[in-house]
Structures are given as structure tokens and as C-alpha cells.
Amino acid sequence: MGAGIAGLGASYTLWQRGEKSVILEKDNTYGGLCSSFEINGFRFDRFIHLSFSKIAQVNDIFSKVEGGIYRHAPNPSNIYKGKWIKHPAQNNLYVLDEDEKNAIIEDFKRRPDASTAKVNNYEDWLRLQFGNYFAEHFPMVYTRKYWMKEASELRTEWAGKRIYQPSLDEVIAGSKAEDERITYYAKEMRYPKKGGYQHFLSIMAEEADIRYRSEVRHINPLERIVRTTDGQVYSYNRLISSLPLPEIVSMIDYVPDEVGKAVSKLEATCGYHVSIALKTKNIPPYLWWYIYDEDNLASRVYSPSLKSPDNAPEGCSSLQMEVYCKEDEYSEQELLDKTVGKLVEIGIIKQEDILFTHLGFEKHANIIFTEPIYEARKIVRDYLISNGIQTIGRFGEWDYLWSDQSLMSGLGIL
Ligand SMILES: Cc1cc2nc3c(=O)[nH]c(=O)nc-3n(C[C@H](O)[C@H](O)[C@H](O)COP(=O)(O)OP(=O)(O)OC[C@H]3O[C@@H](n4cnc5c(N)ncnc54)[C@H](O)[C@@H]3O)c2cc1C
């Protein structure tokens, strides 16, 4: 169930073994979150999507993409109080005013001793890594925007490798001049020259038997039957699901209370990608940038046309902004005013350059690492396994998986 990258990976493995499989997919294309869409000659992905995989099996599949691959050096940036700060901000403070630099450095010096400090949650971890001032003005604000939670509500296991932790010397040096090293955790970002991120998956999709517009709505594990919203009934020998755990559980009758309680503790972010088509190439040179300012609802912005010029018509460019919020939290106009409107307000793009904007909502984006996650997801997955349903992918494993890890989750089915 699901023709995202995990479902395609599972079907690819079965195909290589000579076993027959059918994928039921609710959309009219493959790729799930890794798919791309086109409007008037502009192509957008569903959120940023660049590959920085170190997994040979994944790179082998991606390298076969027709048309070749662009390899970008990561050059992210940040916007803070309307100013550009090179990423990561913690070791590139040189653009801030002296008072703020001093406040950050003094608090950095006052960090508790890491060997004895007690870290109960992500907020404690941030204060320990960066000191109070930086933690409160940068990552704690960003957490609210990106994770839809306070840092104190999150666990820390997912954070370590993803966030650069500079030494005091690096912070001081970066407060005087730009840190020219690439300290981002990935050194090369790959993207198909043609067809958007989805094109990386085309080799697997070609071999798959995908039934599009087939939304699964009911599963009877005893009779081994799946029903779709269009009235089709499929019987199976084996069921593999990449659907979000809460959704799949809701499709089964008579779920034990313990599982129902566990599933209610699983939380994920949801939100919009706000796509912008521009008639000039007049956009910032960064593949992506983070926005710390809270008056702008977007947490991140990236450029599809910088990932590949094939994503925009000749002479044009594009951006996409990422906003995490409930589906009905803002009206469309409010969303546009507080994202695109803010970019115009601070002079990053010009209103007269905008050809069109587009809002796309994703019900599941990132798994949120709140306290009960590990125990709750184990209860749910064990229950599904005991009913003969194997779960894969970001929302089937309920984990912070990049596309390569989601792919491996599918390719690795036994
Ligand atoms: C904001 C953001 C940025 C990201 N950036 C990157 C990045 O730069 N690089 C990277 O490697 N990874 C990135 N990822 C991670 C990547 O998107 C995921 O790891 C991957 O797409 C998950 O694939 P999946 O197949 O597990 O799930 P999905 O892509 O969600 O696939 C599930 C499929 O199931 C289908 N489905 C759902 N319900 C039903 C139903 N009832 N019946 C039938 N079909 C159904 C869906 O339509 C979908 O096709 C990012 C993710 C997010 C949210």
C-alpha cells in the first residue's frame, strides 16, 4: 500500500526476486512525498528534496536516472531580524551587532558542564550546546515553526548529527569573519537534471504494477482482504504498508484499546508548501535558507530552479516556502501574505516578478519525537505484524527517515 519511495522499493525487491506484487496508490502519480508536480512549465517538488545519500544501493539506483545528475555544494543561509546570516548561524555571527554577538558568546561560555548536566529534553540539549541566548533566539524559535512544538516537549535522540555543534573558538572566530568551511552535515546535494526529484524513482516505477486512484479504506486481516474507496476488493497473501500508522490502524475493525491508546500518542507535523513562479532570475543564490523571524510563517525556503534549471522556463526562476500549521489555521490569503508577502516586504523578491503562487497541503510531513514515541510506535507496529501487516517507510516505521532510508526500508523487506 502506497507508491512512495518505500512502497516502490518493496515492489522493486519483489520484482527482482521474480515475485508478483500490486501497489495500491491513492494519488494519480508515484513518489508520495518524493513526487513532483508541474504548473505552466514550472516544476515543483513536495518540499525541498535533494539527495545526500551515502548508501551505495540507493546511489546505484539514483545514478541510473535518465538525463544525469546535478551535484550541488550545500550553501544554505539564514534570515534573522531581516538580515542574511551564513549557515550555520552559530559559527557565522559576524553580521550581528556587537551587543548581540557579546550576549551569545558570553552565554556560550556559561554553558553547563556537559559531563554532569542533566538533559531531559531538546530545550536542555540546545541550552547545553549553544548557551541560553543563542538557544532562545535561534533553534528554540525555529523548533516552534518547524516542529509545531516547544523544544521542551521534544526528545533529543534525532538531533545529534543533524545540528552542527561548534567549539567556543569557532563561535568567536565566526563572530569576526565568515567561516568558509562547509560545516553542514552533508557535503554534496544531488538532484536529477530532468524531471524533478521524482525522476530518481522512475526506474523502480517502470517495473511496478501501480493501481492509481486506489485509496485503501478498509483492511480485514483475518480474511486477508483490502477494500478501496472505489469499491474494489483485493485479496492478498502478504500485505506491506507504507501508509501512516494512525491511518492504517483506523482501517482495521476491533483494534485493542492498548493499540488505540498508543496510536493516539503518535504525532506528526503537517503543513503547506507555498510555491512561487517568477518571471526573472532575480532570487537569492542559496539552494535553501531558514527563516527565524516569527512574523514570516515559513520556516524554510528553497529554489526548485536552482536545483535544476529544467524546473522553470527559460529566463524564469522559482521558490518554494515551507509552513507548518493545521490545515484550517489560516486562510489562503493570510498564508500568502505572511509568506510570499513577507519576502516582498523585505525586498527579497519583487511583487511584479511573480507569475503565480500555489499552495499544497501535506497531512504528514515529519514525525514528532515527543516523549512516548518509541514505546507507542512499538505497540502499534507489533500489533500490525501480529496481524500479518509489515510496515515500511517514514510513516510505516514512524521515524525521521530521509528518502534514502525510506527506500532502504522498502528494498530491505524479507
Ligand atoms: C519537509 C520535508 C523535506 C524533506 N527533504 C528531504 C530531502 O531533502 N532529502 C531526502 O532524502 N528526504 C527528504 N525528506 C524525506 C522524504 O520525503 C521521505 O523519507 C520519503 O518521501 C518517505 O517515503 P515513504 O514512501 O515512506 O512515504 P510517502 O512518500 O508518504 O508515501 C506513502 C504513499 O502512500 C500513499 N497513500 C497514503 N494513504 C493511502 C491510502 N489510504 N491508500 C493508498 N495509498 C495511500 C501516498 O499517496 C504516498 O504515495 C523530506 C521530508 C519532508 C517532510
Side-chain angles (χ1 to χ4, degrees):
M1 299 191 290
I5 196 167
L8 289 174
S11 144
Y12 197 60
T13 291
L14 293 171
W15 170 76
Q16 284 175 322
R17 288 190 202 142
E19 291 177 48
K20 197 170 172 309
S21 71
V22 163
I23 308 186
L24 302 179
E25 168 55 52
K26 73 175 162 71
D27 283 347
N28 56 7
T29 188
Y30 64 86
L33 273 179
C34 291
S35 65
S36 313
F37 60 96
E38 282 186 46
I39 305 169
N40 297 343
F42 286 82
R43 185 182 302 106
F44 300 96
D45 298 322
R46 290 163 68 177
F47 298 129
I48 178 165
H49 287 97
L50 288 155
S51 177
F52 41 89
S53 184
K54 295 194 174 81
I55 305 171
Q57 204 178 345
V58 172
N59 288 333
D60 186 47
I61 292 175
F62 284 10
S63 69
K64 294 194 174 87
V65 68
E66 196 194 326
I69 297 175
Y70 284 117
R71 294 165 193 278
H72 300 285
N75 67 342
S77 196
N78 301 289
I79 292 221
Y80 174 69
K81 296 189 180 169
K83 281 185 193 155
W84 287 107
I85 304 188
K86 192 183 167 184
H87 193 78
Q90 53 268 35
N91 42 306
N92 284 292
L93 303 173
Y94 62 99
V95 291
L96 300 184
D97 63 40
E98 287 307 312
D99 287 350
E100 199 158 29
K101 278 188 215 176
N102 289 337
I104 293 174
I105 293 170
E106 285 314 307
D107 269 6
F108 199 91
K109 287 181 188 160
R110 280 197 284 267
R111 289 172 304 154
D113 177 358
S115 61
T116 53
K118 214 164 175 290
V119 174
N120 292 317
N121 54 48
Y122 184 47
E123 179 177 330
D124 294 346
W125 188 86
L126 290 171
R127 290 183 187 280
L128 185 67
Q129 301 304 322
F130 304 118
N132 289 340
Y133 191 99
F134 187 84
E136 285 165 17
H137 288 78
F138 287 84
M140 283 169 64
V141 175
Y142 192 75
T143 301
R144 222 168 281 137
K145 292 178 84 175
Y146 189 80
W147 291 106
M148 301 167 80
K149 291 277 179 200
E150 292 299 325
S152 58
E153 297 176 273
L154 300 185
R155 302 175 65 115
T156 57
E157 291 86 344
W158 57 275
K161 286 189 212 130
R162 294 169 191 250
I163 299 170
Y164 188 64
Q165 296 147 44
S167 66
L168 176 61
D169 288 347
E170 286 174 284
V171 174
I172 292 174
S175 73
K176 295 176 181 151
E178 178 179 334
D179 185 344
E180 286 180 1
R181 299 165 305 157
I182 297 179
T183 46
Y184 191 69
Y185 58 85
K187 305 292 176 223
E188 182 182 84
M189 313 305 275
R190 296 179 285 276
Y191 192 81
K193 286 191 174 170
K194 306 245 173 249
Y197 200 77
Q198 181 175 26
H199 204 37
F200 270 146
L201 282 51
S202 55
I203 281 170
M204 296 184 290
E206 275 161 24
E207 307 303 344
D209 179 355
I210 307 173
R211 310 290 164 91
Y212 291 112
R213 294 175 210 86
S214 298
E215 180 170 355
V216 179
R217 68 168 176 84
H218 187 252
I219 302 164
N220 184 332
L222 288 178
E223 290 179 21
R224 293 172 173 264
I225 280 174
V226 164
R227 290 189 171 79
T228 53
T229 47
D230 59 359
Q232 297 285 325
V233 181
Y234 295 84
S235 59
Y236 61 85
N237 293 323
R238 181 172 181 190
L239 190 60
I240 301 169
S241 172
S242 63
L243 275 41
L245 293 179
E247 305 225 332
I248 184 167
V249 167
S250 74
M251 294 172 189
I252 302 173
D253 298 332
Y254 311 117
V255 172
D257 280 354
E258 187 204 17
V259 177
K261 275 191 197 131
V263 97
S264 69
K265 292 179 185 156
L266 298 179
E267 293 184 74
T269 60
C270 52
Y272 291 86
H273 27 85
V274 183
S275 303
I276 314 171
L278 296 144
K279 67 179 175 198
T280 65
K281 288 185 171 255
N282 194 9
I283 53 170
Y286 313 110
L287 271 181
W288 74 96
W289 18 294
Y290 305 90
I291 301 180
Y292 291 92
D293 299 340
E294 286 184 279
D295 62 334
N296 189 326
L297 293 180
S299 48
R300 216 167 28 172
V301 188
Y302 27 86
S303 169
S305 59
L306 288 180
K307 289 196 287 186
S308 167
D310 183 54
N311 284 338
E314 189 65 36
C316 298
S317 64
S318 55
L319 295 171
Q320 196 179 62
M321 306 177 78
E322 197 169 272
V323 179
Y324 295 98
C325 64
K326 303 253 157 52
E327 194 167 9
D328 49 7
E329 202 170 328
Y330 302 99
S331 69
E332 284 197 7
Q333 197 53 51
E334 267 178 306
L335 269 172
L336 291 173
D337 289 348
K338 293 182 176 185
T339 53
V340 185
K342 293 289 165 189
L343 293 189
V344 173
E345 207 174 291
I346 58 174
I348 289 183
I349 54 172
K350 290 198 180 112
Q351 184 67 44
E352 60 268 29
D353 287 347
I354 301 175
L355 291 170
F356 64 84
T357 54
H358 172 267
L359 294 176
F361 184 74
E362 304 294 349
K363 196 171 162 198
H364 291 91
N366 284 299
I367 304 307
I368 309 180
F369 283 77
T370 49
E371 187 50 35
I373 181 176
Y374 294 114
E375 200 191 336
R377 80 177 176 197
K378 182 170 180 343
I379 292 171
V380 177
R381 291 189 79 201
D382 286 352
Y383 165 74
L384 293 171
I385 287 281
S386 71
N387 278 281
I389 305 170
Q390 188 176 349
T391 64
I392 56 168
R394 175 173 262 223
F395 306 108
E397 290 201 29
W398 205 257
D399 206 348
Y400 195 174
L401 304 185
W402 296 121
S403 64
D404 57 342
Q405 297 165 311
S406 297
L407 175 53
M408 289 307 291
S409 168
L411 287 173
I413 50 143
L414 297 174

